[in-house]
Amino acid sequence: TTPNIVLNVNGIEVIYNHVILVLKGVSLNVPEGKIAAVLGGNGAGKTTTLRAISNLLKAERGEVTKGSIELRGDRIENLTPADLVNRGVVQVMEGRHCFAHLTIEENLLTGSYTRTDKGEIAANLEKVYNYFPRLKTRRTSQAAYTSGGEQQMCAIGRALMTNPSVMLLDEPSMGLAPQIVEEVFEIVKDLNTKEKVTFLLAEQNTNMALRYADYGYIMESGRIVMDGAAADLRNNEDVKEFYLGMG
Ligand code: ATP
C-alpha cells in the first residue's frame, strides 16, 4: 500500500528581493509517517524550500512566484506560520534559535503558547522530557549555558510542544559532534516511530540523513537533481562520489 502524501510541493519558484531566482521549479512529496530529506550543498536551496512550505519567506523578503504547496490536499501558500502550527506543521529553524536568557524549561514552554489547558501543557512537557532525558536534567539551566546538542534538542522539544503531525527540521546536524548528531537523529527516528510525526529535513550531512530517512531529494542550484528511496541513493555511484563525503 502506498502511504498518503502529507505535503505536496509542486513546481515552486522562489524569488528573493524581487530579483534573485533561487528555486527554479522544485517538486517533492512527503508521505505520511515517513522521514523525507532534502539534501545538497551550501546554497542549494534546502532552507528556502522549507521556508516556502512553512511560509517563513516573507521575513527574508522572499516569495513563491510559481507552483503550489498542499497539505493533505489543501492549498497552504496563504496560511500564516501560526495557522500552519494549528494545522500541525511546525518548523525548527537552522541555528537552533533558543532564547539564550531563558531556561531550557522556559524555552520549551514557549512552544505551548497556543494552548491554555495546564494539564495538557504539563503532559506535553513530560513527553518532551521522556524523549530528551538530557533536557530534563538541564531544565533549570539557562539555554546560553547548555551545549550545542542540548540547544538543538531544546529547539526540537519546543516544536514538539505544539503537538505537530509534520516537523520541518532545518540542518539538525549543524555544528554538532558526530556522536551528538547520531543522538539527535535517533530521537527523530523515535518520534517518527512512536509519535507518528512525519519529517521533512534539510541536511548537508547526506551520509547521516540517508541512514535515517526513508526518501531523499538531492538539490543543486535551486533544482532537485535526483531523488529516490534512501537505500537506493546510498548505493548510487554518483551519490557516493559527489555527496557521501559531505557533512
Ligand atoms: P545552507 O545549507 O547554506 O542554508 P541551503 O541549501 O539551505 O544552504 P538556501 O539557504 O536556501 O540554501 O539558499 C539558496 C540560495 O538563496 C543561496 O544562493 C543564498 O545565497 C540565497 N538566499 C538565501 N536567503 C536569501 C535572502 N534572504 N536574500 C537573497 N538571497 C538569499
Side-chain angles (χ1 to χ4, degrees):
T1 58
T2 30
N4 294 328
I5 299 302
V6 182
L7 275 176
N8 166 248
V9 175
N10 189 17
I12 59 167
E13 275 188 11
V14 168
I15 295 184
Y16 283 114
N17 288 315
H18 304 291
V19 286
I20 311 165
L21 178 65
V22 164
L23 296 192
K24 302 160 187 168
V26 168
S27 299
L28 55 86
N29 283 318
V30 183
E32 184 96 58
K34 302 286 182 190
I35 302 177
V38 183
L39 307 164
N42 228 313
K46 307 179 298 297
T47 296
T48 303
T49 302
L50 261 51
R51 279 185 190 145
I53 296 169
S54 52
N55 213 343
L56 291 168
L57 281 172
K58 210 171 282 169
E60 305 290 328
R61 298 181 49 81
E63 57 176 333
V64 178
T65 51
K66 257 191 205 161
S68 61
I69 305 173
E70 291 178 1
L71 174 69
R72 300 188 180 88
D74 295 334
R75 297 284 291 259
I76 55 169
E77 297 98 306
N78 295 321
L79 299 187
T80 65
D83 291 335
L84 287 165
V85 168
N86 289 329
R87 291 206 187 193
V89 180
V90 68
Q91 174 153 357
V92 180
M93 283 189 275
E94 187 176 347
R96 308 191 267 272
H97 295 288
C98 291
F99 298 106
H101 302 294
L102 299 185
T103 65
I104 290 290
E105 185 153 302
E106 287 164 345
N107 266 286
L108 293 175
L109 289 172
T110 64
S112 60
Y113 69 100
T114 53
R115 222 167 289 119
T116 48
D117 185 325
K118 286 211 171 70
E120 210 178 301
I121 293 171
N124 269 336
L125 201 53
E126 267 322 296
K127 181 172 79 181
V128 172
Y129 287 148
N130 184 32
Y131 284 98
F132 298 95
R134 258 172 190 266
L135 294 183
K136 188 162 192 174
T137 63
R138 303 289 267 143
R139 56 195 286 269
T140 59
S141 303
Q142 255 189 39
Y145 299 111
T146 63
S147 70
E150 287 160 350
Q151 288 180 33
Q152 181 63 71
M153 290 174 192
C154 180
I156 299 173
R158 183 175 56 189
L160 194 57
M161 292 292 287
T162 70
N163 271 336
S165 61
V166 182
M167 215 186 267
L168 308 172
L169 201 49
D170 197 358
E171 211 86 44
S173 78
M174 195 169 65
L176 303 181
Q179 195 189 328
I180 307 297
V181 173
E182 186 134 5
E183 202 176 321
V184 169
F185 271 95
E186 282 293 332
I187 296 169
V188 165
K189 192 80 198 172
D190 236 22
L191 290 171
N192 172 250
T193 319
K194 297 183 191 146
E195 299 294 324
K196 310 284 177 230
V197 180
T198 300
F199 283 88
L200 177 61
L201 44 99
E203 258 302 340
Q204 288 199 38
N205 189 336
T206 308
N207 204 10
M208 190 64 84
L210 286 180
R211 275 176 49 201
Y212 287 90
D214 299 293
Y215 205 86
Y217 290 89
I218 300 182
M219 287 191 83
E220 255 174 46
S221 316
R223 292 194 172 86
I224 309 271
V225 292
M226 201 189 295
D227 68 279
D232 294 338
L233 290 178
R234 267 203 315 265
N235 293 316
N236 180 290
E237 290 306 321
D238 290 335
V239 175
K240 278 193 211 167
E241 181 173 353
F242 295 111
Y243 298 101
L244 284 182
M246 285 168 44

